[in-house]
Amino acid sequence: MLKLYGYWRSSAAYRVRIALNLKGLAYQQVPVHLVKDGGQQHGADYRALNPQGLLPLLVDEENGGVRIAQSLAIIEYLEEIFPVPALLPADPAERAQVRALALHIACDVHPLNNLRVLQYLSSELGASDEAKNAWYRHWVGLGLAAVEEGLAAFDGRLSLGERPGYLEACLIPQLYNARRFNCDLAAYPRILALAARCEPLQAFQQAAPEVQPDAQ
């Protein structure tokens, strides 16, 4: 039994849901509300499971109850424990390209725009909603521009040729957030073409925030 602690609109949890679905793995969801009660991820019960106090967290009860934090570490773990179907290319150079783009999204773009950063801008620095949204669009714009250029190496293919995998699991949630904040996406035709191929697929539709059991 795989147990995933997450929040319906968490980009990082969204990535892991896509990866689990692409691999056809059954899992139990345990909602942790990022805003209610001051943020349930800060509560003692959850911090006892994950001292980082962040989402998502994967618990693999069939492997001694091992707990894995951080979305990319979780996806890498799934890739090693359940190697078929693969989420990464077999070729080392292509695999490195996929990882580089995924890491750019997860480590360079998303952290500047996640909930705790936006909350800090408002509560501690007094940023207005307008200034906060400008911050968001600035960093997302820079990040997506770099991804757009990086996708040129795939020559119109998905990261696994005709199949989505690790890269798409990271990119689609970031694109979802960009749309939430009304970012202008016209400058990213490769990203939009990739999304148009992925978003209708069952693995992505079932992972979408609005259909999660804790969606509000």
Side-chain angles (χ1 to χ4, degrees), residues 51-175:
Q52 294 179 13
L54 299 171
L55 295 174
L57 176 72
L58 183 78
V59 178
D60 185 351
E61 295 184 344
E62 292 188 5
N63 192 18
V66 64
R67 300 194 295 264
I68 313 290
Q70 293 293 335
S71 61
L72 295 192
I74 293 171
I75 296 173
E76 296 267 358
Y77 175 79
L78 295 173
E79 184 75 342
E80 293 174 2
I81 299 297
F82 307 101
V84 179
L87 299 182
L88 285 163
D91 179 76
E94 292 182 3
R95 188 180 303 183
Q97 288 179 325
V98 164
R99 281 193 170 116
L101 288 173
L103 285 165
H104 179 61
I105 295 165
C107 301
D108 294 331
V109 182
H110 173 242
L112 289 167
N113 300 289
N114 71 4
L115 179 62
R116 61 178 180 168
V117 170
L118 297 180
Q119 287 176 331
Y120 187 86
L121 288 173
S122 298
S123 63
E124 300 298 326
L125 301 183
S128 65
D129 286 345
E130 181 180 358
K132 185 172 63 175
N133 289 339
W135 163 283
Y136 183 96
R137 293 176 186 134
H138 171 76
W139 293 114
V140 167
L142 287 178
L144 291 183
V147 173
E148 177 73 14
E149 292 303 311
L151 289 179
F154 296 94
D155 194 26
R157 297 175 293 113
L158 296 175
S159 64
L160 295 170
E162 294 303 311
R163 288 197 301 116
Y166 191 96
L167 172 58
E168 291 82 1
C170 291
L171 181 53
I172 295 304
Q174 187 62 65
L175 189 61

Side-chain angles (χ1 to χ4, degrees), residues 140 144 175 178-179 183-189 191-192:
V140 167
L144 291 183
L175 189 61
R179 287 169 173 152
C183 295
D184 185 356
L185 303 175
Y188 317 119
I191 292 176
L192 292 176

